[in-house]
Amino acid sequence: MEKLLKNGEVYFNTVEYFRKNDVGDYLRGDFAEGLKYSQLINFRSPSLEEFGIKFRNAKINGDTDISHLFSMYMVTSEFWEGKIHFDKRILEFGDYALIINPREFLEKVMKASKYEIKYGPAVYYKTPPIPISLNSFSKREEFKYQNEFRFVINSSSKKPIIIKIGDISDIATMIPTETLLKIEFLKN
């Protein structure tokens, strides 16, 4: 958190990292990360089947293994409309949260990057059945409480990528995460 706030280090890890680090960590890992629909009949994935999930027509998309992700929690208009509230599971993200001006943050990331970056909200899908087409923005519905906004870089690097955007303390502030549970959004 401090590295992001004070040094502006935006840390992108690989999709493969998030898929392989799901063992017991349902916060940062997702064993279905990078899954893509395929016409392969009776495809088997022992790592997925150990969770009791069997896909007849699915495969891991090798192209997404070289994608790199940076994810943020996103406050949407649904908060302002009173339709959703922060889920208490966000406390598991850590003791502190950064409140960031999204437009200025996005501009800084895009300006500092030497990579092509795609960005947008995660799209949550129900399992099963597997949708016909998944991509780096697809995420299982059980993670919907994370309200994720993703930045995606496609790179041949198997190592994390760090983009340095400089100190963002002028556009961000750090608060205790538990404070988010007490926030009330006022309708205009």
Side-chain angles (χ1 to χ4, degrees):
M1 207 59 91
E2 285 287 328
K3 285 183 178 181
L4 176 58
L5 182 64
K6 299 292 183 189
N7 302 335
E9 290 185 12
V10 184
Y11 190 88
F12 289 75
N13 221 326
T14 63
V15 167
E16 180 180 35
Y17 170 85
F18 290 110
R19 184 175 62 249
K20 289 184 175 179
N21 286 288
D22 179 35
V23 184
D25 181 4
Y26 299 103
L27 184 64
R28 290 180 181 82
D30 180 0
F31 67 83
E33 195 75 66
L35 200 63
K36 179 180 180 179
Y37 182 83
S38 171
Q39 292 299 326
L40 295 174
I41 303 300
N42 295 322
F43 172 80
R44 292 178 48 101
S45 175
S47 64
L48 298 178
E49 289 176 4
E50 70 184 62
F51 291 96
I53 297 176
K54 296 179 181 178
F55 301 112
R56 289 185 49 204
N57 297 322
K59 71 174 183 173
I60 297 297
N61 180 358
D63 294 340
T64 63
D65 278 349
I66 58 172
S67 291
H68 292 71
L69 303 176
F70 175 77
S71 300
M72 303 172 72
Y73 192 95
M74 175 179 61
V75 176
T76 63
S77 61
E78 291 177 299
F79 284 89
W80 297 101
E81 296 165 359
K83 294 178 183 174
I84 62 173
H85 303 282
F86 288 102
D87 187 293
K88 67 180 180 181
R89 291 177 283 184
I90 66 168
L91 296 174
E92 296 175 37
F93 290 142
D95 294 334
Y96 292 91
L98 283 181
I99 306 297
I100 301 173
N101 178 313
R103 181 168 301 188
E104 291 185 42
F105 181 78
L106 176 62
E107 287 173 6
K108 286 179 180 275
V109 170
M110 299 306 284
K111 185 177 178 181
S113 178
K114 65 179 182 179
Y115 301 95
E116 178 184 345
I117 298 178
K118 295 177 185 171
Y119 56 87
V123 177
Y124 297 92
Y125 64 90
K126 291 182 180 183
T127 56
I130 292 297
I132 290 176
S133 179
L134 299 176
N135 58 47
S136 296
F137 294 94
S138 303
K139 194 156 182 160
R140 290 181 297 135
E141 187 175 53
E142 46 266 46
F143 292 103
K144 191 169 182 167
Y145 75 93
Q146 294 180 353
N147 233 39
E148 198 172 305
F149 187 89
R150 287 184 167 189
F151 292 82
V152 179
I153 294 174
N154 289 320
S155 167
S156 59
S157 174
K158 296 268 186 194
K159 296 180 180 181
I161 294 172
I162 297 173
I163 297 176
K164 295 186 179 190
I165 63 173
D167 185 325
I168 62 169
S169 56
D170 60 329
I171 64 165
T173 188
M174 191 179 307
I175 64 168
T177 306
E178 63 188 24
T179 305
L180 295 173
L181 299 177
K182 300 171 188 171
I183 290 177
E184 290 186 30
F185 292 90
L186 303 173
K187 295 180 184 180
N188 290 337

